[in-house]
Amino acid sequence: MTIAPKAARKLTMKQRYSALTRDLDWEPSYVPAEELFPYTRFEGIKIHDWSKWEDPFRLTVDAYAKYQAEKDKRLYAVLDGFAQSQGHLSLTDASYLNAMKLFLQGVTPLEYQAHRNFAYLSRHLNGPGPRFASLCQSLDEMRHAQTEIHTLSNYNKYYSGFHDYLHMHDRVWYLSVPKSFFDDALSAGPFEFLIAIGFSFEYLLTNLLFVPFMSGASFNGDLPTMTFGFSAQSDESRHMTLGLEAIKFLLEQDEDNVPIVQHWIDKWFWRGYRVTALVAQMLDYMLPRKVMSWKEAFELYFEQQMLGGLFQDLAFYGIRPPRDVEKAIQEKDYISHQAYWILYQFSHAAAFTTSVPSDEHLDWLEEQYPDTFPTYRKLWDKERKNVENGGRHFVRGLPQLCQVCQIPMGFTEADDPFIQCQRETIFEGERYNFCSDGCKNIFDHEPVKFRQSWLPVHQIYQGNCGAADLPGVLQWYGMQPGDGGEYLGSVDHENWLAWHDMAETTGGN
Amino acid sequence: MTTTTPAARPVGVDIQESESNRAVIEAIEADNPEATVRHMPGMVRVQVPGKLVINRESVEERLGREWETHEFQLAIISYFGHIKEWDDDEIVIAWDH
Ligand SMILES: [Fe+2]
Ligand SMILES: [Fe+2]
Ligand SMILES: [Zn+2]
């Protein structure tokens, strides 16, 4: 008698995930686990059972490869079409690309650094679940770096400021803001990195970083950037999940982890939030066609979703919202105006251009910020007169920088737009300056780390930046004529007018 | 900050606006009667109080072809809430506590 063979049964997602991810793990027998995973004990975090780590995506390597390949295929079809049809000519204005220059110089190199650190986690975390999720994220971040470079390289053929972005990332003053933020995370332990990048950056703040850039691209005719952005963001939902699972896992494993995690949330919220000052000014000032104000984006993506949603959930574990969150809420009314004003005055030393906002633009800002903008509008009215008299304002000296976030000290006290906010700490006889209580608190907790900050202004004065004069430093930065300064009359602006056959300067519309 | 129950706090997803994602958005609207939809450049945001469910069958009905839940990874831009379940038949986003 023969028994009919059973039809091959398809495994469910859950079974496939456990067979292909968890079941491939083994208990080490030749070496003790502490030797195999040497980096997961020195931060004071206690883990009792790594198998409790959840991965809701239940991704296996075959499904990962299949969907990532499909994402790339869709993206590269758009890139080809845009390049072949001279799509760059249908942007709203060449000045829009300032936002993309900032993105390529400031954000793309961080994708590569994220790739490196997640590769490290995919080797060094004890559990197979988080190791596999880290491996996928490591590959994703490499994909992000590559697709962003490919996408924006098309603009490099026609516009200034896109060349030498890696070289600039390591040297230029405003790029030390995102670079030092990520270097701080890379030089932390694996658990702090998970809370810093996986949770605070990917879950808390990623929407504020990416969605405004991508909606801005969509609104300003930049189809390739919108496509790479949404393609990258589709990976981001997995990264957000990794961050959220990480924090829940740490909090559930041991009560002693709670105060450590709370401190990291306090630190990394403020570190990440300070980097988003660059996004704030981009949204309010750099997009010729506006999407939403920084204030609205902050309310939607941070206050409603994170404070109103996530932190209520985390209260269950004894976690409270980040320490300096109230200050960030106050700043939503003015941070973008102050950040853009800083960049405007120093853009002769930057690889992007700036300009006085048009009347229409000023009206829009006043609508969005009825309480605070009238004060800043007076500043722009005055500056416009300077420009008319041939005296466009550039600061010739070098600014003082915050020791922690490295932003020039141009932010004010919340209740007075004319008083610069300045905090200081004396540590072992040296005085350190900070832009805010948030940055001071971070320094005071780790003074030995942050006394080593590579502050671009100090480095220039110490003679480490190629030369003691501005042209020499700009050359050392890798900048070329036309990269920075005023937009009106710049190389990009002149080319744009010529390509569109406009005989005379029409102003920043 | 006021505390609210997980049943009342909104959860949601941002989805790329495209022809095939329209079926996904319609399926979410049909299966989550309290859903609100907001259009933004290039994307659609769907928000629901408490819990958001995406059913494979509802999507397949509207799409007219087979659809595996993994495919949602091509559509999603971002979400808020916690992914409680992601299996062969459904994706559930809700808060835990
Ligand atoms: Fe990324
Ligand atoms: Fe990411
Ligand atoms: Zn600072």
Side-chain angles (χ1 to χ4, degrees), chain A residues 93 95 98 281 284-286 340-341 343-345 347 352-358 361-362 365 380 383-384 387 392-394 484-490 493 505 507-509:
Chain A
D93 187 53
S95 67
N98 285 313
Q281 63 81 32
D284 284 347
Y285 287 88
M286 285 185 166
Y340 184 71
W341 182 240
L343 296 183
Y344 176 85
Q345 298 174 85
S347 57
F352 57 79
T353 59
T354 54
S355 202
V356 175
S358 66
H361 189 161
L362 292 173
L365 286 165
W380 290 117
E383 175 59 5
R384 183 172 295 171
V387 175
R392 201 264 196 215
H393 181 50
F394 289 117
E486 166 62 40
Y487 172 65
L488 297 178
S490 67
H493 184 226
T505 302
N509 56 336

Side-chain angles (χ1 to χ4, degrees), chain B residues 2-67:
Chain B
T2 53
T3 19
T4 48
T5 62
R9 258 181 283 146
V11 295
V13 280
D14 292 346
I15 296 173
Q16 284 184 56
E17 193 151 40
S18 75
E19 197 54 40
S20 60
N21 292 345
R22 194 170 308 159
V24 180
I25 295 161
E26 283 173 14
I28 298 175
E29 282 186 277
D31 293 339
N32 302 270
E34 289 183 276
T36 50
V37 175
R38 177 179 174 181
H39 288 263
M40 292 198 251
M43 58 183 258
V44 177
R45 145 169 300 219
V46 190
Q47 184 171 318
V48 188
K51 183 170 139 184
L52 187 152
V53 185
I54 303 165
N55 287 311
R56 178 180 53 80
E57 281 184 353
S58 315
V59 177
E60 287 181 340
E61 239 168 65
R62 287 165 178 81
L63 213 52
R65 65 166 169 85
E66 277 188 24
W67 183 81

Side-chain angles (χ1 to χ4, degrees), chain A residues 416-429:
Chain A
D416 192 332
F418 299 103
I419 297 179
Q420 183 184 303
C421 179
Q422 178 148 4
R423 303 287 180 269
E424 59 181 46
T425 289
I426 307 232
F427 178 67
E428 293 184 352

